[in-house]
Amino acid sequence: MNSNDIFDALNESYDESLFSMDDTDSDPNFNPVGISNSESDSDIDPEGISEGDLNVDIPTQTSTNILPDLKNLTWGPADNDLHDFTFNPDGLDIGINDDILFISLIVTETNRYANKKLASPNIKRHSRLQKWIDTNESEIKNFLGIIMYMGTVNMPTIASYWTSSHLLTSHLSHIMSRNRFELLLSHIHFQNNDVANLNNRLYKIQNILDLLNQKFKQWVIPSHGMCIDESMIAFQGRLVFKQYIQTKRHRYGVKVFKLCVSPCYTLKFKIYSGKESEVDKNDSVSSRIVMNLVDEYLDFGRTLYVDNWYTSVSLAHQLLERKTHLVGTLRSNRKYNPDYVVKKKLKKGQVIAQKSSSKVMVLKFKDKRDLHMLSTKHTDNMVMVPRRENKSKPEVVLDYNRGKSFIDLSDQMASYCSPLRKSLKWYRKVVFELLLNTSVVYALCLFQKTTATRIKITDFRSNLIKYLTFKPNMNQELSNKHVLTTASRNRCVQFYLNIAQEK
């Protein structure tokens, strides 16, 4: 398997049937709780349930604090009367467009930025920028390939990749000089600052964000299950919208909301750039983020899996109006939760659930701690846990674990051989994460789906590096490299061979 095979496969004609993901391929025993970064997922690992009575008497309850469109909402037993939405993705128009050229955009804006800086009267006489020459698409591909190579082969500093030491050996000097690489790295740009909207905190990378969001949705029609969660791009510099999330591996950084589908495709994302004001008291920020990310995939009978930051009774009704199910963990203090379920004291292994007149179920399960779940497609049915004798838990928990695995797997795959390094420029780090990590995982999934070939993410990255850094004469240059000897003469062997050939 070489780099040409990979790119030939990815450039084949589009076939809708190849990219319609089937959630039935998911492992029903997969439980991502142990590796999840989600704040809510820590509540979803019940080790077992004691033998005993799992049935709790449930009275009918009328909700007092309800949304204006839910005036007649009542809560009763969680029976089998559920919404039955027929899944039909055929009406989705994903709009194939191959005219998106990221490399051309980077070349244009990098040259524009460097030339404008070069024309500045404040530039120093001996600045490295004085030697600037415009870059091109071939050189930017080499540059991105070198960045990926630095993630695969880890060295202490950037200068180490160009050292002459035999201990630290690489051939990057045959691709690009160190000075040229550092010059490109310091002037890489993605937006024309003269026409940018300075009120948008993401203006430096907005072009790339829009193009990536457009590109991600072009090759995949998601199947039944989708999930939304946050990822963190590590960054510890000064940034007004830098976030701190204690449960993440990288606690400080730029927060990204992602919409993912099976097995680990990222269909859409949104960068958090500061606090958003609420339009009205009934429209929370979390609900608006969900509706914005999934808007194009509603009305087809899909199921959305989210954690407790997003889940609410009001969001469930918004999605039901668009023929979409909601499954997620639930905070006990959310508005419009049924008081009887939330306040009920349970013994270990017990479960209680109520369903509203609009067919929204809220469930409480007691193991090490209380776990609250909301679902519009489940009952309080208990199922045996695979590979655990005499252990069971609610069916909604098993389904939630399967649905939330998409984004966990995506983040896990992107973390292998990540090329990210410490940087003072947050926008450069975000773009490298999206282009060289998230997009690579996406491309790997497409390659495996189109070719039915399994390949490791590290091998896939290696083939991409070979493609991006390919030079026709590089092998000949390496074979003709002069070798110094320990003889007393002060010239190398190749010098005398050349002299002999001239004679």
Side-chain angles (χ1 to χ4, degrees), residues 288-322:
R288 275 189 288 142
I289 289 174
V290 170
M291 299 305 290
N292 175 266
L293 289 176
V294 303
D295 182 64
E296 299 168 271
Y297 305 101
L298 300 177
D299 301 313
F300 298 110
R302 292 187 169 88
T303 300
L304 179 65
Y305 300 89
V306 294
D307 65 24
N308 61 24
W309 189 76
Y310 309 91
T311 309
S312 66
V313 175
S314 58
L315 176 61
H317 286 87
Q318 291 181 56
L319 292 174
L320 285 177
E321 291 178 356
R322 301 292 302 274

PDB file of all heavy atoms in Angstrom, residues 288-322:
ATOM      1  N   ARG A 288     -29.266  25.956  21.276  1.00  0.00           N
ATOM      2  CA  ARG A 288     -28.975  26.609  19.996  1.00  0.00           C
ATOM      3  C   ARG A 288     -27.776  25.974  19.306  1.00  0.00           C
ATOM      4  O   ARG A 288     -27.737  25.863  18.082  1.00  0.00           O
ATOM      5  CB  ARG A 288     -28.747  28.097  20.205  1.00  0.00           C
ATOM      6  CG  ARG A 288     -30.043  28.901  20.205  1.00  0.00           C
ATOM      7  CD  ARG A 288     -29.772  30.380  20.188  1.00  0.00           C
ATOM      8  NE  ARG A 288     -29.260  30.817  21.479  1.00  0.00           N
ATOM      9  CZ  ARG A 288     -28.316  31.733  21.637  1.00  0.00           C
ATOM     10  NH1 ARG A 288     -27.759  32.290  20.587  1.00  0.00           N
ATOM     11  NH2 ARG A 288     -27.919  32.095  22.836  1.00  0.00           N
ATOM     12  N   ILE A 289     -26.781  25.563  20.088  1.00  0.00           N
ATOM     13  CA  ILE A 289     -25.618  24.897  19.500  1.00  0.00           C
ATOM     14  C   ILE A 289     -26.039  23.581  18.858  1.00  0.00           C
ATOM     15  O   ILE A 289     -25.630  23.251  17.735  1.00  0.00           O
ATOM     16  CB  ILE A 289     -24.543  24.673  20.575  1.00  0.00           C
ATOM     17  CG1 ILE A 289     -23.908  26.005  20.976  1.00  0.00           C
ATOM     18  CG2 ILE A 289     -23.460  23.704  20.081  1.00  0.00           C
ATOM     19  CD1 ILE A 289     -22.937  25.909  22.119  1.00  0.00           C
ATOM     20  N   VAL A 290     -26.874  22.815  19.548  1.00  0.00           N
ATOM     21  CA  VAL A 290     -27.349  21.540  19.008  1.00  0.00           C
ATOM     22  C   VAL A 290     -28.130  21.755  17.725  1.00  0.00           C
ATOM     23  O   VAL A 290     -27.875  21.106  16.697  1.00  0.00           O
ATOM     24  CB  VAL A 290     -28.219  20.809  20.049  1.00  0.00           C
ATOM     25  CG1 VAL A 290     -28.924  19.612  19.408  1.00  0.00           C
ATOM     26  CG2 VAL A 290     -27.374  20.338  21.227  1.00  0.00           C
ATOM     27  N   MET A 291     -29.082  22.672  17.737  1.00  0.00           N
ATOM     28  CA  MET A 291     -29.923  22.883  16.561  1.00  0.00           C
ATOM     29  C   MET A 291     -29.114  23.423  15.392  1.00  0.00           C
ATOM     30  O   MET A 291     -29.412  23.118  14.229  1.00  0.00           O
ATOM     31  CB  MET A 291     -31.066  23.835  16.905  1.00  0.00           C
ATOM     32  CG  MET A 291     -31.984  23.327  18.008  1.00  0.00           C
ATOM     33  SD  MET A 291     -32.691  21.690  17.696  1.00  0.00           S
ATOM     34  CE  MET A 291     -33.818  22.073  16.355  1.00  0.00           C
ATOM     35  N   ASN A 292     -28.088  24.212  15.671  1.00  0.00           N
ATOM     36  CA  ASN A 292     -27.234  24.730  14.602  1.00  0.00           C
ATOM     37  C   ASN A 292     -26.410  23.626  13.962  1.00  0.00           C
ATOM     38  O   ASN A 292     -26.248  23.578  12.732  1.00  0.00           O
ATOM     39  CB  ASN A 292     -26.321  25.821  15.158  1.00  0.00           C
ATOM     40  CG  ASN A 292     -25.326  26.330  14.132  1.00  0.00           C
ATOM     41  OD1 ASN A 292     -24.198  25.863  14.068  1.00  0.00           O
ATOM     42  ND2 ASN A 292     -25.747  27.290  13.323  1.00  0.00           N
ATOM     43  N   LEU A 293     -25.887  22.696  14.765  1.00  0.00           N
ATOM     44  CA  LEU A 293     -25.024  21.641  14.240  1.00  0.00           C
ATOM     45  C   LEU A 293     -25.801  20.579  13.464  1.00  0.00           C
ATOM     46  O   LEU A 293     -25.294  20.029  12.481  1.00  0.00           O
ATOM     47  CB  LEU A 293     -24.239  20.986  15.377  1.00  0.00           C
ATOM     48  CG  LEU A 293     -23.125  21.823  16.023  1.00  0.00           C
ATOM     49  CD1 LEU A 293     -22.504  21.075  17.198  1.00  0.00           C
ATOM     50  CD2 LEU A 293     -22.044  22.165  15.006  1.00  0.00           C
ATOM     51  N   VAL A 294     -27.030  20.283  13.900  1.00  0.00           N
ATOM     52  CA  VAL A 294     -27.765  19.164  13.288  1.00  0.00           C
ATOM     53  C   VAL A 294     -28.861  19.615  12.336  1.00  0.00           C
ATOM     54  O   VAL A 294     -29.602  18.776  11.815  1.00  0.00           O
ATOM     55  CB  VAL A 294     -28.380  18.250  14.382  1.00  0.00           C
ATOM     56  CG1 VAL A 294     -27.315  17.735  15.315  1.00  0.00           C
ATOM     57  CG2 VAL A 294     -29.462  18.992  15.169  1.00  0.00           C
ATOM     58  N   ASP A 295     -28.970  20.911  12.087  1.00  0.00           N
ATOM     59  CA  ASP A 295     -30.103  21.432  11.315  1.00  0.00           C
ATOM     60  C   ASP A 295     -30.272  20.737   9.970  1.00  0.00           C
ATOM     61  O   ASP A 295     -31.390  20.425   9.553  1.00  0.00           O
ATOM     62  CB  ASP A 295     -29.921  22.940  11.105  1.00  0.00           C
ATOM     63  CG  ASP A 295     -31.089  23.540  10.344  1.00  0.00           C
ATOM     64  OD1 ASP A 295     -32.216  23.520  10.879  1.00  0.00           O
ATOM     65  OD2 ASP A 295     -30.883  24.010   9.206  1.00  0.00           O
ATOM     66  N   GLU A 296     -29.180  20.463   9.266  1.00  0.00           N
ATOM     67  CA  GLU A 296     -29.272  19.857   7.933  1.00  0.00           C
ATOM     68  C   GLU A 296     -29.654  18.386   7.978  1.00  0.00           C
ATOM     69  O   GLU A 296     -30.011  17.807   6.950  1.00  0.00           O
ATOM     70  CB  GLU A 296     -27.935  19.995   7.210  1.00  0.00           C
ATOM     71  CG  GLU A 296     -27.499  21.433   6.998  1.00  0.00           C
ATOM     72  CD  GLU A 296     -26.058  21.506   6.541  1.00  0.00           C
ATOM     73  OE1 GLU A 296     -25.165  21.570   7.405  1.00  0.00           O
ATOM     74  OE2 GLU A 296     -25.827  21.496   5.323  1.00  0.00           O
ATOM     75  N   TYR A 297     -29.592  17.754   9.161  1.00  0.00           N
ATOM     76  CA  TYR A 297     -29.824  16.316   9.254  1.00  0.00           C
ATOM     77  C   TYR A 297     -31.097  15.976  10.017  1.00  0.00           C
ATOM     78  O   TYR A 297     -31.312  14.819  10.383  1.00  0.00           O
ATOM     79  CB  TYR A 297     -28.615  15.654   9.933  1.00  0.00           C
ATOM     80  CG  TYR A 297     -27.314  15.975   9.237  1.00  0.00           C
ATOM     81  CD1 TYR A 297     -26.446  16.941   9.744  1.00  0.00           C
ATOM     82  CD2 TYR A 297     -26.976  15.347   8.053  1.00  0.00           C
ATOM     83  CE1 TYR A 297     -25.263  17.260   9.086  1.00  0.00           C
ATOM     84  CE2 TYR A 297     -25.797  15.657   7.388  1.00  0.00           C
ATOM     85  CZ  TYR A 297     -24.947  16.612   7.916  1.00  0.00           C
ATOM     86  OH  TYR A 297     -23.775  16.936   7.269  1.00  0.00           O
ATOM     87  N   LEU A 298     -31.942  16.971  10.257  1.00  0.00           N
ATOM     88  CA  LEU A 298     -33.214  16.741  10.933  1.00  0.00           C
ATOM     89  C   LEU A 298     -34.279  16.316   9.938  1.00  0.00           C
ATOM     90  O   LEU A 298     -34.074  16.352   8.728  1.00  0.00           O
ATOM     91  CB  LEU A 298     -33.648  18.011  11.673  1.00  0.00           C
ATOM     92  CG  LEU A 298     -32.685  18.529  12.744  1.00  0.00           C
ATOM     93  CD1 LEU A 298     -33.211  19.834  13.340  1.00  0.00           C
ATOM     94  CD2 LEU A 298     -32.458  17.497  13.832  1.00  0.00           C
ATOM     95  N   ASP A 299     -35.422  15.880  10.467  1.00  0.00           N
ATOM     96  CA  ASP A 299     -36.614  15.489   9.677  1.00  0.00           C
ATOM     97  C   ASP A 299     -36.428  14.178   8.926  1.00  0.00           C
ATOM     98  O   ASP A 299     -37.200  13.874   8.020  1.00  0.00           O
ATOM     99  CB  ASP A 299     -36.990  16.594   8.671  1.00  0.00           C
ATOM    100  CG  ASP A 299     -37.288  17.919   9.351  1.00  0.00           C
ATOM    101  OD1 ASP A 299     -38.042  17.914  10.337  1.00  0.00           O
ATOM    102  OD2 ASP A 299     -36.741  18.940   8.910  1.00  0.00           O
ATOM    103  N   PHE A 300     -35.396  13.393   9.273  1.00  0.00           N
ATOM    104  CA  PHE A 300     -35.178  12.113   8.591  1.00  0.00           C
ATOM    105  C   PHE A 300     -35.267  10.924   9.544  1.00  0.00           C
ATOM    106  O   PHE A 300     -34.916   9.813   9.170  1.00  0.00           O
ATOM    107  CB  PHE A 300     -33.812  12.108   7.901  1.00  0.00           C
ATOM    108  CG  PHE A 300     -33.672  13.152   6.838  1.00  0.00           C
ATOM    109  CD1 PHE A 300     -32.851  14.243   7.020  1.00  0.00           C
ATOM    110  CD2 PHE A 300     -34.378  13.057   5.654  1.00  0.00           C
ATOM    111  CE1 PHE A 300     -32.707  15.214   6.043  1.00  0.00           C
ATOM    112  CE2 PHE A 300     -34.255  14.021   4.666  1.00  0.00           C
ATOM    113  CZ  PHE A 300     -33.420  15.109   4.857  1.00  0.00           C
ATOM    114  N   GLY A 301     -35.694  11.132  10.798  1.00  0.00           N
ATOM    115  CA  GLY A 301     -35.858  10.018  11.729  1.00  0.00           C
ATOM    116  C   GLY A 301     -34.586   9.574  12.407  1.00  0.00           C
ATOM    117  O   GLY A 301     -34.499   8.413  12.836  1.00  0.00           O
ATOM    118  N   ARG A 302     -33.587  10.440  12.525  1.00  0.00           N
ATOM    119  CA  ARG A 302     -32.327  10.063  13.160  1.00  0.00           C
ATOM    120  C   ARG A 302     -32.421  10.151  14.682  1.00  0.00           C
ATOM    121  O   ARG A 302     -33.393  10.654  15.246  1.00  0.00           O
ATOM    122  CB  ARG A 302     -31.181  10.954  12.657  1.00  0.00           C
ATOM    123  CG  ARG A 302     -30.827  10.731  11.205  1.00  0.00           C
ATOM    124  CD  ARG A 302     -29.585  11.519  10.820  1.00  0.00           C
ATOM    125  NE  ARG A 302     -29.090  11.112   9.518  1.00  0.00           N
ATOM    126  CZ  ARG A 302     -29.479  11.612   8.365  1.00  0.00           C
ATOM    127  NH1 ARG A 302     -30.397  12.564   8.352  1.00  0.00           N
ATOM    128  NH2 ARG A 302     -28.980  11.184   7.226  1.00  0.00           N
ATOM    129  N   THR A 303     -31.355   9.692  15.348  1.00  0.00           N
ATOM    130  CA  THR A 303     -31.250   9.760  16.804  1.00  0.00           C
ATOM    131  C   THR A 303     -29.996  10.536  17.166  1.00  0.00           C
ATOM    132  O   THR A 303     -28.920  10.264  16.634  1.00  0.00           O
ATOM    133  CB  THR A 303     -31.187   8.357  17.430  1.00  0.00           C
ATOM    134  OG1 THR A 303     -32.378   7.641  17.098  1.00  0.00           O
ATOM    135  CG2 THR A 303     -31.057   8.450  18.946  1.00  0.00           C
ATOM    136  N   LEU A 304     -30.120  11.490  18.069  1.00  0.00           N
ATOM    137  CA  LEU A 304     -29.004  12.317  18.506  1.00  0.00           C
ATOM    138  C   LEU A 304     -28.634  11.946  19.938  1.00  0.00           C
ATOM    139  O   LEU A 304     -29.501  11.874  20.816  1.00  0.00           O
ATOM    140  CB  LEU A 304     -29.376  13.798  18.430  1.00  0.00           C
ATOM    141  CG  LEU A 304     -28.306  14.790  18.894  1.00  0.00           C
ATOM    142  CD1 LEU A 304     -27.092  14.731  17.971  1.00  0.00           C
ATOM    143  CD2 LEU A 304     -28.867  16.203  18.946  1.00  0.00           C
ATOM    144  N   TYR A 305     -27.330  11.713  20.187  1.00  0.00           N
ATOM    145  CA  TYR A 305     -26.818  11.369  21.511  1.00  0.00           C
ATOM    146  C   TYR A 305     -25.984  12.545  22.035  1.00  0.00           C
ATOM    147  O   TYR A 305     -25.052  12.999  21.354  1.00  0.00           O
ATOM    148  CB  TYR A 305     -25.957  10.111  21.440  1.00  0.00           C
ATOM    149  CG  TYR A 305     -26.693   8.898  20.923  1.00  0.00           C
ATOM    150  CD1 TYR A 305     -26.742   8.614  19.555  1.00  0.00           C
ATOM    151  CD2 TYR A 305     -27.354   8.038  21.789  1.00  0.00           C
ATOM    152  CE1 TYR A 305     -27.422   7.512  19.072  1.00  0.00           C
ATOM    153  CE2 TYR A 305     -28.038   6.932  21.323  1.00  0.00           C
ATOM    154  CZ  TYR A 305     -28.069   6.675  19.957  1.00  0.00           C
ATOM    155  OH  TYR A 305     -28.746   5.577  19.492  1.00  0.00           O
ATOM    156  N   VAL A 306     -26.309  13.029  23.224  1.00  0.00           N
ATOM    157  CA  VAL A 306     -25.608  14.165  23.811  1.00  0.00           C
ATOM    158  C   VAL A 306     -25.408  13.915  25.304  1.00  0.00           C
ATOM    159  O   VAL A 306     -26.052  13.035  25.899  1.00  0.00           O
ATOM    160  CB  VAL A 306     -26.381  15.488  23.605  1.00  0.00           C
ATOM    161  CG1 VAL A 306     -26.451  15.858  22.132  1.00  0.00           C
ATOM    162  CG2 VAL A 306     -27.781  15.401  24.206  1.00  0.00           C
ATOM    163  N   ASP A 307     -24.521  14.714  25.940  1.00  0.00           N
ATOM    164  CA  ASP A 307     -24.319  14.574  27.378  1.00  0.00           C
ATOM    165  C   ASP A 307     -25.190  15.568  28.125  1.00  0.00           C
ATOM    166  O   ASP A 307     -26.008  16.291  27.543  1.00  0.00           O
ATOM    167  CB  ASP A 307     -22.831  14.716  27.735  1.00  0.00           C
ATOM    168  CG  ASP A 307     -22.278  16.100  27.433  1.00  0.00           C
ATOM    169  OD1 ASP A 307     -23.057  17.064  27.384  1.00  0.00           O
ATOM    170  OD2 ASP A 307     -21.053  16.217  27.244  1.00  0.00           O
ATOM    171  N   ASN A 308     -25.001  15.637  29.459  1.00  0.00           N
ATOM    172  CA  ASN A 308     -25.951  16.384  30.282  1.00  0.00           C
ATOM    173  C   ASN A 308     -25.844  17.898  30.155  1.00  0.00           C
ATOM    174  O   ASN A 308     -26.677  18.612  30.681  1.00  0.00           O
ATOM    175  CB  ASN A 308     -25.818  15.979  31.753  1.00  0.00           C
ATOM    176  CG  ASN A 308     -24.429  16.262  32.313  1.00  0.00           C
ATOM    177  OD1 ASN A 308     -23.692  17.110  31.818  1.00  0.00           O
ATOM    178  ND2 ASN A 308     -24.056  15.544  33.353  1.00  0.00           N
ATOM    179  N   TRP A 309     -24.819  18.419  29.468  1.00  0.00           N
ATOM    180  CA  TRP A 309     -24.760  19.864  29.264  1.00  0.00           C
ATOM    181  C   TRP A 309     -25.805  20.312  28.251  1.00  0.00           C
ATOM    182  O   TRP A 309     -26.298  21.431  28.302  1.00  0.00           O
ATOM    183  CB  TRP A 309     -23.367  20.281  28.791  1.00  0.00           C
ATOM    184  CG  TRP A 309     -23.178  21.769  28.781  1.00  0.00           C
ATOM    185  CD1 TRP A 309     -22.969  22.581  29.845  1.00  0.00           C
ATOM    186  CD2 TRP A 309     -23.201  22.631  27.621  1.00  0.00           C
ATOM    187  NE1 TRP A 309     -22.850  23.899  29.432  1.00  0.00           N
ATOM    188  CE2 TRP A 309     -22.986  23.959  28.076  1.00  0.00           C
ATOM    189  CE3 TRP A 309     -23.376  22.414  26.255  1.00  0.00           C
ATOM    190  CZ2 TRP A 309     -22.942  25.046  27.221  1.00  0.00           C
ATOM    191  CZ3 TRP A 309     -23.333  23.507  25.399  1.00  0.00           C
ATOM    192  CH2 TRP A 309     -23.110  24.807  25.872  1.00  0.00           C
ATOM    193  N   TYR A 310     -26.169  19.439  27.337  1.00  0.00           N
ATOM    194  CA  TYR A 310     -27.126  19.754  26.280  1.00  0.00           C
ATOM    195  C   TYR A 310     -28.541  19.267  26.612  1.00  0.00           C
ATOM    196  O   TYR A 310     -29.527  19.912  26.241  1.00  0.00           O
ATOM    197  CB  TYR A 310     -26.711  19.119  24.962  1.00  0.00           C
ATOM    198  CG  TYR A 310     -25.293  19.376  24.525  1.00  0.00           C
ATOM    199  CD1 TYR A 310     -24.262  18.511  24.874  1.00  0.00           C
ATOM    200  CD2 TYR A 310     -24.974  20.487  23.758  1.00  0.00           C
ATOM    201  CE1 TYR A 310     -22.955  18.738  24.471  1.00  0.00           C
ATOM    202  CE2 TYR A 310     -23.665  20.723  23.339  1.00  0.00           C
ATOM    203  CZ  TYR A 310     -22.672  19.848  23.708  1.00  0.00           C
ATOM    204  OH  TYR A 310     -21.383  20.082  23.306  1.00  0.00           O
ATOM    205  N   THR A 311     -28.653  18.117  27.268  1.00  0.00           N
ATOM    206  CA  THR A 311     -29.936  17.426  27.392  1.00  0.00           C
ATOM    207  C   THR A 311     -30.918  18.201  28.260  1.00  0.00           C
ATOM    208  O   THR A 311     -30.579  18.646  29.361  1.00  0.00           O
ATOM    209  CB  THR A 311     -29.735  16.029  27.991  1.00  0.00           C
ATOM    210  OG1 THR A 311     -28.718  15.345  27.267  1.00  0.00           O
ATOM    211  CG2 THR A 311     -31.020  15.230  27.907  1.00  0.00           C
ATOM    212  N   SER A 312     -32.134  18.333  27.773  1.00  0.00           N
ATOM    213  CA  SER A 312     -33.227  18.936  28.531  1.00  0.00           C
ATOM    214  C   SER A 312     -34.542  18.500  27.909  1.00  0.00           C
ATOM    215  O   SER A 312     -34.589  18.049  26.762  1.00  0.00           O
ATOM    216  CB  SER A 312     -33.123  20.468  28.531  1.00  0.00           C
ATOM    217  OG  SER A 312     -33.310  20.981  27.225  1.00  0.00           O
ATOM    218  N   VAL A 313     -35.620  18.649  28.685  1.00  0.00           N
ATOM    219  CA  VAL A 313     -36.943  18.299  28.177  1.00  0.00           C
ATOM    220  C   VAL A 313     -37.332  19.220  27.031  1.00  0.00           C
ATOM    221  O   VAL A 313     -37.925  18.779  26.033  1.00  0.00           O
ATOM    222  CB  VAL A 313     -37.978  18.371  29.316  1.00  0.00           C
ATOM    223  CG1 VAL A 313     -39.392  18.139  28.774  1.00  0.00           C
ATOM    224  CG2 VAL A 313     -37.655  17.341  30.399  1.00  0.00           C
ATOM    225  N   SER A 314     -36.983  20.486  27.130  1.00  0.00           N
ATOM    226  CA  SER A 314     -37.338  21.428  26.061  1.00  0.00           C
ATOM    227  C   SER A 314     -36.607  21.101  24.762  1.00  0.00           C
ATOM    228  O   SER A 314     -37.183  21.180  23.672  1.00  0.00           O
ATOM    229  CB  SER A 314     -37.012  22.859  26.491  1.00  0.00           C
ATOM    230  OG  SER A 314     -35.646  22.992  26.822  1.00  0.00           O
ATOM    231  N   LEU A 315     -35.315  20.708  24.846  1.00  0.00           N
ATOM    232  CA  LEU A 315     -34.581  20.316  23.635  1.00  0.00           C
ATOM    233  C   LEU A 315     -35.189  19.066  23.020  1.00  0.00           C
ATOM    234  O   LEU A 315     -35.282  18.949  21.795  1.00  0.00           O
ATOM    235  CB  LEU A 315     -33.108  20.075  23.970  1.00  0.00           C
ATOM    236  CG  LEU A 315     -32.240  19.555  22.818  1.00  0.00           C
ATOM    237  CD1 LEU A 315     -32.207  20.553  21.669  1.00  0.00           C
ATOM    238  CD2 LEU A 315     -30.820  19.253  23.295  1.00  0.00           C
ATOM    239  N   ALA A 316     -35.627  18.134  23.869  1.00  0.00           N
ATOM    240  CA  ALA A 316     -36.254  16.915  23.349  1.00  0.00           C
ATOM    241  C   ALA A 316     -37.488  17.246  22.519  1.00  0.00           C
ATOM    242  O   ALA A 316     -37.717  16.653  21.457  1.00  0.00           O
ATOM    243  CB  ALA A 316     -36.625  15.994  24.509  1.00  0.00           C
ATOM    244  N   HIS A 317     -38.285  18.225  22.972  1.00  0.00           N
ATOM    245  CA  HIS A 317     -39.480  18.587  22.215  1.00  0.00           C
ATOM    246  C   HIS A 317     -39.135  19.337  20.935  1.00  0.00           C
ATOM    247  O   HIS A 317     -39.819  19.183  19.916  1.00  0.00           O
ATOM    248  CB  HIS A 317     -40.410  19.424  23.089  1.00  0.00           C
ATOM    249  CG  HIS A 317     -41.131  18.627  24.128  1.00  0.00           C
ATOM    250  ND1 HIS A 317     -40.609  18.365  25.365  1.00  0.00           N
ATOM    251  CD2 HIS A 317     -42.337  17.998  24.086  1.00  0.00           C
ATOM    252  CE1 HIS A 317     -41.446  17.638  26.068  1.00  0.00           C
ATOM    253  NE2 HIS A 317     -42.519  17.389  25.315  1.00  0.00           N
ATOM    254  N   GLN A 318     -38.083  20.140  20.968  1.00  0.00           N
ATOM    255  CA  GLN A 318     -37.655  20.810  19.732  1.00  0.00           C
ATOM    256  C   GLN A 318     -37.255  19.787  18.671  1.00  0.00           C
ATOM    257  O   GLN A 318     -37.564  19.944  17.491  1.00  0.00           O
ATOM    258  CB  GLN A 318     -36.473  21.736  20.019  1.00  0.00           C
ATOM    259  CG  GLN A 318     -36.813  22.961  20.850  1.00  0.00           C
ATOM    260  CD  GLN A 318     -35.610  23.849  21.066  1.00  0.00           C
ATOM    261  OE1 GLN A 318     -34.961  24.283  20.108  1.00  0.00           O
ATOM    262  NE2 GLN A 318     -35.288  24.138  22.320  1.00  0.00           N
ATOM    263  N   LEU A 319     -36.562  18.740  19.095  1.00  0.00           N
ATOM    264  CA  LEU A 319     -36.119  17.711  18.149  1.00  0.00           C
ATOM    265  C   LEU A 319     -37.283  16.826  17.699  1.00  0.00           C
ATOM    266  O   LEU A 319     -37.323  16.388  16.544  1.00  0.00           O
ATOM    267  CB  LEU A 319     -35.015  16.867  18.779  1.00  0.00           C
ATOM    268  CG  LEU A 319     -33.689  17.592  19.019  1.00  0.00           C
ATOM    269  CD1 LEU A 319     -32.713  16.712  19.793  1.00  0.00           C
ATOM    270  CD2 LEU A 319     -33.055  17.998  17.693  1.00  0.00           C
ATOM    271  N   LEU A 320     -38.222  16.553  18.609  1.00  0.00           N
ATOM    272  CA  LEU A 320     -39.383  15.748  18.213  1.00  0.00           C
ATOM    273  C   LEU A 320     -40.197  16.450  17.140  1.00  0.00           C
ATOM    274  O   LEU A 320     -40.746  15.793  16.245  1.00  0.00           O
ATOM    275  CB  LEU A 320     -40.262  15.464  19.438  1.00  0.00           C
ATOM    276  CG  LEU A 320     -39.740  14.406  20.423  1.00  0.00           C
ATOM    277  CD1 LEU A 320     -40.670  14.292  21.615  1.00  0.00           C
ATOM    278  CD2 LEU A 320     -39.583  13.053  19.737  1.00  0.00           C
ATOM    279  N   GLU A 321     -40.274  17.776  17.208  1.00  0.00           N
ATOM    280  CA  GLU A 321     -40.983  18.516  16.165  1.00  0.00           C
ATOM    281  C   GLU A 321     -40.303  18.364  14.819  1.00  0.00           C
ATOM    282  O   GLU A 321     -40.936  18.551  13.777  1.00  0.00           O
ATOM    283  CB  GLU A 321     -41.065  19.991  16.550  1.00  0.00           C
ATOM    284  CG  GLU A 321     -41.977  20.271  17.725  1.00  0.00           C
ATOM    285  CD  GLU A 321     -41.994  21.748  18.099  1.00  0.00           C
ATOM    286  OE1 GLU A 321     -41.224  22.514  17.469  1.00  0.00           O
ATOM    287  OE2 GLU A 321     -42.767  22.127  18.994  1.00  0.00           O
ATOM    288  N   ARG A 322     -39.001  18.028  14.829  1.00  0.00           N
ATOM    289  CA  ARG A 322     -38.250  17.823  13.584  1.00  0.00           C
ATOM    290  C   ARG A 322     -38.003  16.334  13.328  1.00  0.00           C
ATOM    291  O   ARG A 322     -37.079  15.968  12.618  1.00  0.00           O
ATOM    292  CB  ARG A 322     -36.918  18.564  13.648  1.00  0.00           C
ATOM    293  CG  ARG A 322     -37.024  20.063  13.862  1.00  0.00           C
ATOM    294  CD  ARG A 322     -37.633  20.770  12.676  1.00  0.00           C
ATOM    295  NE  ARG A 322     -36.873  20.539  11.468  1.00  0.00           N
ATOM    296  CZ  ARG A 322     -35.810  21.276  11.099  1.00  0.00           C
ATOM    297  NH1 ARG A 322     -35.401  22.280  11.873  1.00  0.00           N
ATOM    298  NH2 ARG A 322     -35.188  21.022   9.965  1.00  0.00           N
TER     299      ARG A 322
END
